Amino acid sequence: MSRSAHPAGPRHADVLPEGHYTAPPADLNALDPKVWAQTVTRTDTGEVSVGGIDVTTLAEEFGTPAYFVDETDFRARARAWRTAFGHDADVFYAGKAFLSRAIVRWLHEEGLNLDVCSGGELSTALSAGMPADRIAFHGNNKSTGEIQRAIEAGVGRIVLDSFQEIVRVAHIAQSLGKRQRVQIRVTVGVEAHTHEFIATAHEDQKFGIPLAGGQAAEAVRRALQLEGLELIGIHSHIGSQIFDTSGFEVAAHRVVGLLKDIRDEHGVELPEIDLGGGLGIAYTSDDDPREPHEIAKALTEIVQRECESAKLRMPRISVEPGRAIVGPTAFTLYEVGTIKPLDGLRTYVSVDGGMSDNIRTALYDAEYSVALVSRTSDAQPMLVRVVGKHCESGDIVVKDAFLPSDLAPGDLIAVPATGAYCRSMASNYNHALRPPVVAVREGEARVIVRRETEEDLLRLDVG
Ligand SMILES: *Cc1c(COP(=O)(O)O)cnc(C)c1O
């Protein structure tokens, strides 16, 4: 990149180093609605507010770092997915993206179902009143205890992930005198256009049963024979942070192909197909996610077309968005601490959190944006790397971004689109206290997950 691309020029570098950035945005004070939650706005005082409350007030009341969820936005996104898919389809929110009892209640009220993948997620869902028949239970290594609990609770479906699990679930259901509704998760051999570790439908990974080599057909054969199981459909999840529907198209084609084979071999038409989640969101202004109604239309048409050509009845479709619902609804608020300019490179801005509240940058090279939110600034942009306070040089929150060059310790900065896979993957590394999640709506803020305390840490330490 040449200097002429950004006439303002960064303060500490004559030549910009390698990185995933383009020119600094024309206006560093602007908030791109693509990456910020719906009610986030800059007020007349120059501060940013969410749900009508400015960030300085939020920081004083709840401390930093903290996650702030825009409840209005969450409900709107959940409703948009629900409405887009209508009555002939089900939307299961993927609880692993972020789950708390308040979230479960919001989902319940907005008519969504819920995916869980552990005993902990199941108990959170049940304790917040999600009806068991609207819960799907996932996972590649469910324990017998978890399976037993899920069946006893009466979950709507268990998604079978291996040959061993087919037998295990059938056995447990039968011993409880029940017949459990199940789907079989297959891998269709699609490589979603995403990071290797979050693409899940190619064959060389741990999830699902491959369609290849007739393995999925054999799994169906076995499941249909077992009395403890009611096989209701086939499940496919091809990955995460996906922007185009071509991967889903191939997946739907292959899953419907399996449904057709099942009909031909067994004379049964399975009534359901689940296409998983994985729809992308905007982490930076460069990302262009599609709207739920466009996705719903595309996926429904694809399945319809495939079923028509296979002469199958249209199955009930379900989808499992996690990130696409909760991701854009929250931001993480940090206080700026040490600022360290490295001449010729960039300026390192340390914040009071880091990889303990957002591991995604270290884990997947995820990209994020960042903004100064406690005030506006007319200073020139400087190239920064926002880092945490942990003992790892990989403790990076935002790898490459621009912030105003008059940034100072005590300023508040916020990283948008941290609703998914941030609090849910948070750790106590360096005995960090995991930040609270605060829901903000129409001028009111309330803690939905409180900040951890040192007493919480010491309570577990019984040595
Ligand atoms: C992770 C996961 C999802 C949700 O993925 P997102 O990228 O958050 O939409 C849905 N279904 C299954 C089976 C998953 O493992």
Side-chain angles (χ1 to χ4, degrees):
M1 165 174 299
S2 73
R3 280 205 69 178
S4 60
H6 36 97
R11 186 173 52 160
H12 302 292
D14 288 334
V15 179
L16 287 172
E18 291 285 300
H20 286 268
Y21 51 85
T22 48
D27 177 4
L28 279 182
N29 299 313
L31 301 171
D32 183 347
K34 269 206 291 192
V35 298
W36 293 90
Q38 190 184 314
T39 73
V40 171
T41 169
R42 214 175 262 282
T43 65
D44 298 342
T45 63
E47 268 197 67
V48 167
S49 73
V50 57
I53 310 180
D54 59 68
V55 290
T56 307
T57 305
L58 292 171
E60 275 165 15
E61 189 167 346
F62 302 103
T64 57
Y67 308 97
F68 292 95
V69 184
D70 182 346
E71 180 179 344
T72 306
D73 193 26
F74 184 98
R75 287 178 180 272
R77 286 176 197 275
R79 211 173 306 137
W81 277 88
R82 186 76 208 92
T83 316
F85 278 89
H87 293 295
D88 299 326
D90 296 303
V91 180
F92 286 76
Y93 168 80
K96 68 178 195 227
F98 173 62
L99 196 65
S100 77
R101 289 199 275 198
I103 295 283
V104 174
R105 285 192 293 271
W106 300 348
L107 293 165
H108 188 188
E109 287 164 14
E110 301 300 340
L112 273 73
N113 298 355
L114 178 63
D115 271 0
V116 299
C117 58
S118 70
E121 290 182 2
L122 178 63
S123 74
T124 303
L126 293 173
S127 78
M130 181 59 85
D133 62 1
R134 282 169 50 188
I135 298 174
F137 194 49
H138 276 274
N140 67 301
N141 188 24
K142 308 167 189 82
S143 72
T144 52
E146 287 172 326
I147 294 169
Q148 177 150 353
R149 233 167 109 201
I151 297 176
E152 278 172 342
V155 297
R157 63 167 84 142
I158 293 180
V159 182
L160 302 173
D161 201 81
S162 66
F163 281 96
Q164 290 181 341
E165 199 173 80
I166 293 172
V167 179
R168 211 172 277 150
V169 171
H171 180 78
I172 296 172
Q174 217 173 352
S175 70
L176 292 169
K178 296 208 182 194
R179 193 151 183 252
Q180 177 61 46
R181 291 160 63 86
V182 296
Q183 294 187 337
I184 292 176
R185 176 164 173 176
V186 302
T187 47
V188 295
V190 172
E191 299 250 13
H193 300 287
T194 184
H195 191 282
E196 185 191 349
F197 297 156
I198 48 179
T200 56
H202 57 290
E203 267 124 26
D204 190 5
Q205 46 82 34
K206 71 174 186 173
F207 292 108
I209 299 176
L211 276 180
Q215 293 186 71
E218 177 57 23
V220 168
R221 227 166 268 138
R222 294 190 194 177
L224 285 172
Q225 279 167 7
L226 292 165
E227 268 179 37
L229 306 181
E230 179 187 352
L231 180 61
I232 56 170
I234 301 296
H235 181 285
S236 154
H237 171 70
I238 57 171
S240 278
Q241 189 60 358
I242 301 163
F243 288 101
D244 65 55
T245 50
S246 60
F248 292 99
E249 205 148 332
V250 180
H253 174 73
R254 297 190 182 158
V255 168
V256 172
L258 178 61
L259 292 184
K260 180 172 175 289
D261 292 345
I262 295 168
R263 187 226 19 228
D264 294 346
E265 181 178 343
H266 307 280
V268 288
E269 291 195 25
L270 297 184
E272 294 185 7
I273 131 173
D274 190 308
L275 292 172
L279 285 312
I281 63 165
Y283 285 104
T284 74
S285 297
D286 294 337
D287 296 325
D288 285 306
R290 298 174 67 182
E291 295 292 324
H293 67 89
E294 294 175 275
I295 295 160
K297 186 165 179 286
L299 295 188
T300 310
E301 281 174 3
I302 292 164
V303 176
Q304 237 153 15
R305 197 175 60 228
E306 294 295 333
C307 287
E308 267 165 35
S309 78
K311 299 201 166 41
L312 283 167
R313 272 196 301 277
M314 180 71 181
R316 188 172 180 85
I317 298 178
S318 48
V319 289
E320 306 176 317
R323 181 194 322 265
I325 292 177
V326 71
T329 68
F331 61 80
T332 314
L333 188 63
Y334 299 104
E335 186 179 302
V336 172
T338 304
I339 299 175
K340 192 182 284 183
L342 294 186
D343 276 345
L345 291 169
R346 70 190 92 239
T347 296
Y348 279 79
V349 174
S350 296
V351 294
D352 46 358
M355 65 193 295
S356 56
D357 58 73
N358 187 348
I359 190 69
R360 293 189 66 260
T361 307
L363 197 57
Y364 314 122
D365 241 344
E367 287 181 31
Y368 281 96
S369 23
V370 61
L372 170 60
V373 289
S374 47
R375 62 185 174 90
T376 52
S377 166
D378 295 325
Q380 292 188 344
M382 65 172 170
L383 179 65
V384 300
R385 179 159 288 172
V386 179
V387 295
K389 56 181 291 168
H390 296 285
C391 304
E392 290 279 327
S393 50
D395 173 25
I396 296 168
V397 180
V398 186
K399 202 165 172 200
D400 297 295
F402 290 90
L403 283 170
S405 55
D406 64 352
L407 192 76
D411 278 332
L412 297 175
I413 61 175
V415 175
T418 57
Y421 306 106
C422 287
R423 181 58 180 80
S424 67
M425 288 185 166
S427 77
N428 291 119
Y429 181 44
N430 293 141
H431 286 202
L433 305 172
R434 286 178 295 175
V437 182
V438 180
V440 189
R441 183 190 183 185
E442 292 173 2
E444 281 181 35
R446 74 190 167 99
V447 174
I448 60 172
V449 178
R450 73 162 166 79
R451 184 184 300 283
E452 246 168 357
T453 62
E454 289 180 0
E455 292 74 61
D456 289 328
L457 291 184
L458 292 171
R459 196 168 297 143
L460 301 179
D461 187 335
V462 296

